[in-house]
């Protein structure tokens, strides 16, 4: 899998982000739009990094950073991939799981950016169908994902 380096102009870098995670590396996962950007699926400029942590875990270090959006979720703990980025371990949700999370957030109302991501994901990105179906089931949007997949094939 090709890994692109974080090349956005954010006040926080992947290295700084991974430094925050080192005390609890298995608890913090880069997710949603940020994960899609990491895998080269998202082409919009994002202004914050989205991370997911388990319910009940509230890391002070993350809350202190203005450009990090923290989500608490029961569903954070599946399809996690760990990457070594410049010597630091960073957990990132799989592109399939991140894609499903973004679609779930849209609640069926897709703007131009989301439509662009949907098209790119299904036509230009080599995704794992099993992971996509697993994530869609967990987020209870299997029919929506199947419809999008059929429409974009």
């Amino acid at each position: 899998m090709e890994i692109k380096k974080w090349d956005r102009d954010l006040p926080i870098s992947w290295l700084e982000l991974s430094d925050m995670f080192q005390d609890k590396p298995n608890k913090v996962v880069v997710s949603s739009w940020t994960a899609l950007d990491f895998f080269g699926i998202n082409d919009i400029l994002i202004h914050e990094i989205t991370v997911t942590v388990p319910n009940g875990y509230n890391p002070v270090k993350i809350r202190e950073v203005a450009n990090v959006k923290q989500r608490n979720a029961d569903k954070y703990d599946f399809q996690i991939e760990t990457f070594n980025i410049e010597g630091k371990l960073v957990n990132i949700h799989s592109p399939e799981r991140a894609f499903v999370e973004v679609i779930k957030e849209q609640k069926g109302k897709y703007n131009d950016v989301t439509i662009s991501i949907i098209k790119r994901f299904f036509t230009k990105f080599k995704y794992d169908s099993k992971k996509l179906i697993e994530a869609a089931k967990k987020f209870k949007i299997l029919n929506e994902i199947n419809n999008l997949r059929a429409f974009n094939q």
Side-chain angles (χ1 to χ4, degrees), residues 105-122:
E105 288 173 6
Q106 302 303 305
K107 299 179 182 164
K109 298 177 182 161
Y110 308 126
N111 58 27
D112 291 342
V113 172
T114 310
I115 291 169
S116 171
I117 287 171
I118 291 167
K119 286 180 183 176
R120 184 176 298 113
F121 185 84
F122 286 117

Side-chain angles (χ1 to χ4, degrees), residues 139-152:
F139 279 92
K140 298 182 175 139
I141 61 167
L142 181 59
N143 286 341
E144 185 174 1
I145 293 297
N146 282 335
N147 289 340
L148 290 172
R149 202 160 89 169
F151 184 74
N152 287 284

Side-chain angles (χ1 to χ4, degrees), residues 37 50 54 69-70 75 87 89 94 108 116 119 143:
D37 189 76
T50 307
K69 179 180 177 183
Q70 175 185 323
K75 299 178 181 117
L89 295 180
S94 73
S116 171
K119 286 180 183 176
N143 286 341

Side-chain angles (χ1 to χ4, degrees), residues 95-134:
E96 296 81 8
R97 189 242 187 254
F99 176 76
V100 168
E101 184 177 10
V102 166
I103 296 302
K104 174 85 173 184
E105 288 173 6
Q106 302 303 305
K107 299 179 182 164
K109 298 177 182 161
Y110 308 126
N111 58 27
D112 291 342
V113 172
T114 310
I115 291 169
S116 171
I117 287 171
I118 291 167
K119 286 180 183 176
R120 184 176 298 113
F121 185 84
F122 286 117
T123 60
K124 296 182 181 173
F125 184 75
K126 186 175 179 175
Y127 63 93
D128 182 323
S129 292
K130 289 179 183 178
K131 284 185 177 181
L132 183 67
I133 297 303
E134 176 193 14

Side-chain angles (χ1 to χ4, degrees), residues 23 31 49 60 72 82 96 103 134 147:
D23 59 341
S31 58
I49 294 172
V60 174
N72 293 67
T82 302
E96 296 81 8
I103 296 302
E134 176 193 14
N147 289 340

Side-chain angles (χ1 to χ4, degrees), residues 1-152:
M1 179 178 310
E2 184 177 321
I3 302 302
K4 79 172 202 167
K5 289 193 176 185
W6 186 260
D7 58 1
R8 303 295 191 194
D9 187 21
L10 287 176
I12 186 167
S13 69
W14 280 112
L15 285 177
E16 293 168 317
L17 187 65
S18 64
D19 281 341
M20 291 190 315
F21 300 168
Q22 292 304 305
D23 59 341
K24 299 283 186 187
N26 295 325
K27 297 251 186 209
V28 181
V29 183
V30 175
S31 58
S32 189
W33 293 92
T34 310
L36 290 181
D37 189 76
F38 183 82
F39 289 106
I41 300 167
N42 179 17
D43 64 350
I44 64 164
L45 180 61
I46 59 173
H47 298 288
E48 63 186 5
I49 294 172
T50 307
V51 296
T52 303
V53 298
N55 281 330
Y57 180 65
N58 201 7
V60 174
K61 288 181 183 177
I62 291 176
R63 285 186 285 130
E64 291 172 351
V65 180
N67 289 72
V68 176
K69 179 180 177 183
Q70 175 185 323
R71 297 180 172 181
N72 293 67
D74 291 327
K75 299 178 181 117
Y76 91 104
D77 62 347
F78 71 98
Q79 294 187 11
I80 296 172
E81 299 180 19
T82 302
F83 295 95
N84 186 326
I85 302 173
E86 298 179 29
K88 304 285 185 175
L89 295 180
V90 178
N91 293 325
I92 300 175
H93 277 132
S94 73
E96 296 81 8
R97 189 242 187 254
F99 176 76
V100 168
E101 184 177 10
V102 166
I103 296 302
K104 174 85 173 184
E105 288 173 6
Q106 302 303 305
K107 299 179 182 164
K109 298 177 182 161
Y110 308 126
N111 58 27
D112 291 342
V113 172
T114 310
I115 291 169
S116 171
I117 287 171
I118 291 167
K119 286 180 183 176
R120 184 176 298 113
F121 185 84
F122 286 117
T123 60
K124 296 182 181 173
F125 184 75
K126 186 175 179 175
Y127 63 93
D128 182 323
S129 292
K130 289 179 183 178
K131 284 185 177 181
L132 183 67
I133 297 303
E134 176 193 14
K137 285 179 181 177
K138 290 223 184 217
F139 279 92
K140 298 182 175 139
I141 61 167
L142 181 59
N143 286 341
E144 185 174 1
I145 293 297
N146 282 335
N147 289 340
L148 290 172
R149 202 160 89 169
F151 184 74
N152 287 284

